[in-house]
Amino acid sequence: MRKLLLLLPVLAAGCADLYPPPVPPHFEGKCDAAAAQSFVGQAVSQDAGTAIKAATRATFFRWAAPNTMLTMDFSPVRVTVHYGSDNRISQIVCG
């Protein structure tokens, strides 16, 4: 019985999705990085992140710290904000 309980999480993980669910068609192309390029060079802050998310009309937001590996999955409703070791925004991209 004890071995079965230890094996249960492994078996359940096999049922998990390997890929994120597809984005509904009405969201495609929603993120617009060009609308937020004025934030490049500004300091990293929660207020800047909120303003960038609103300006790009993105559904999801993520910060990309220096030397951080990111997933390569494309999501047209996500904005990614890269910043350098000086805590200044260096790049804003959708996807």
Side-chain angles (χ1 to χ4, degrees), residues 43-85:
V44 170
S45 69
Q46 184 173 355
D47 290 339
T50 302
I52 291 168
K53 184 178 177 188
T56 59
R57 298 185 319 275
T59 304
F60 301 103
F61 177 93
R62 69 177 172 178
W63 291 108
N67 302 316
T68 300
M69 295 178 69
L70 300 174
T71 60
M72 296 299 292
D73 62 317
F74 179 79
S75 175
V77 296
R78 178 180 60 212
V79 63
T80 301
V81 180
H82 298 265
Y83 62 94
S85 57

Side-chain angles (χ1 to χ4, degrees), residues 23-31 59 76-77:
V23 176
H26 63 279
F27 282 122
E28 288 186 26
K30 186 168 183 174
C31 181
T59 304
V77 296

Side-chain angles (χ1 to χ4, degrees), residues 1-12:
M1 182 69 173
R2 186 176 214 179
K3 289 181 181 180
L4 181 61
L5 289 175
L6 292 174
L7 188 59
L8 190 59
V10 174
L11 294 174

